[in-house]
Amino acid sequence: MSVGRPIFMFLIAVAIAAPAFSESPKDQIKRTTDQILSILTNPLYKGPSKAEERRRLIRKAIDERFDWEEMAQRALGIHWAKRTVEERKEFVGLFEELLARTYMDKIEGYSGEQIVYAGETIDGDKARAFIKIITSKNKEFPLEYRLQLKESRWLVYDISIEGVSLVNNYRTQFNSIIVKSGYEDLVKRLKEKLAYNDKKERRS
């Protein structure tokens, strides 16, 4: 084998890997959004009979972009430090399922609204990507994705909708429940909410 071949192969590998490092937070959000929209608008995944496959593909796309553990930790706030390893693992699973389903329910209502990528700010390993959703009636809804860099990927740890932080909103609710009736009651409520959603999906 010639000396030039391994060098050539290395250059190809670097060239293939480069986009992941060069993509900005906004670019990575756009890529995930485009992937989701392509699923929602694909005739192969239309209709109730395709709902399970459609949601599986959408879930895969958002799992690759959302840092569920970071979001769960931030949502639990000061109560995270008091939890055991097992409790943290359980909570992350429950929170992830709740938030993923809520997110998917919202985006499945997409009906051709215009999505404008309005810019981004980067500060070290933290970033914000600004998006505007424009309806057919020309009404704008601002979204702000908050991300952090982990192993060359920008992962979402919070979403601000019209200036309201999703994580902060959950943290306020969770803290209120824990203070009033304990952490165990919060877990019970999350499980009941997911069980209710399961029944609702089976009926639809």
Side-chain angles (χ1 to χ4, degrees):
M1 180 184 295
S2 68
V3 176
R5 182 168 175 77
I7 295 175
F8 175 69
M9 295 304 292
F10 171 75
L11 290 174
I12 290 178
V14 171
I16 292 172
F21 289 94
S22 62
E23 276 189 325
S24 71
K26 182 185 67 176
D27 291 337
Q28 292 195 19
I29 285 292
K30 184 178 186 304
R31 180 155 55 84
T32 299
T33 303
D34 288 346
Q35 185 180 354
I36 292 171
L37 293 182
S38 71
I39 296 166
L40 290 173
T41 57
N42 191 328
L44 292 175
Y45 306 120
K46 293 286 187 180
S49 64
K50 299 293 183 179
E52 186 176 342
E53 176 68 5
R54 181 176 64 249
R55 290 176 75 87
R56 184 186 68 80
L57 293 171
I58 293 173
R59 178 62 184 271
K60 184 176 183 294
I62 63 176
D63 280 348
E64 292 173 354
R65 184 60 54 206
F66 282 66
D67 190 339
W68 299 119
E69 183 171 352
E70 182 70 21
M71 295 181 85
Q73 180 175 344
R74 287 171 178 265
L76 203 56
I78 60 173
H79 305 287
W80 177 265
K82 303 173 185 178
R83 309 276 64 87
T84 66
V85 173
E86 291 75 16
E87 286 176 331
R88 289 178 181 181
K89 184 177 180 181
E90 179 186 36
F91 180 78
V92 170
L94 292 170
F95 184 77
E96 172 185 341
E97 194 64 26
L98 175 67
L99 203 56
R101 288 189 186 188
T102 301
Y103 188 80
M104 287 192 291
D105 287 344
K106 296 295 184 183
I107 60 179
E108 282 194 313
Y110 175 77
S111 57
E113 291 84 357
Q114 183 184 359
I115 300 174
V116 177
Y117 298 89
E120 64 186 8
T121 61
I122 303 174
D123 183 11
D125 63 349
K126 296 289 194 297
R128 298 187 179 198
F130 305 99
I131 295 171
K132 288 189 289 187
I133 309 295
I134 304 176
T135 68
S136 57
K137 295 182 179 180
N138 211 34
K139 187 174 181 180
E140 293 186 2
F141 293 93
L143 293 178
E144 178 187 314
Y145 285 92
R146 296 170 184 174
L147 312 96
Q148 61 182 1
L149 187 63
K150 287 189 175 180
E151 297 178 356
S152 82
R153 289 193 302 152
W154 288 100
L155 301 179
V156 175
Y157 67 85
D158 193 9
I159 304 173
S160 176
I161 305 169
E162 295 188 278
V164 179
S165 162
L166 189 69
V167 167
N168 287 351
N169 192 27
Y170 274 114
R171 183 163 57 240
T172 299
Q173 294 180 50
F174 292 167
N175 181 67
S176 177
I177 294 170
I178 293 172
V179 169
K180 289 179 181 177
S181 52
Y183 174 76
E184 291 75 16
D185 186 47
L186 171 62
V187 171
K188 179 185 175 184
R189 293 192 191 197
L190 291 175
K191 289 179 177 178
E192 289 175 347
K193 175 66 174 175
L194 290 173
Y196 172 78
N197 289 343
D198 282 339
K199 290 181 181 179
K200 189 176 178 181
E201 286 180 12
R202 283 196 292 268
R203 287 197 301 264
S204 61

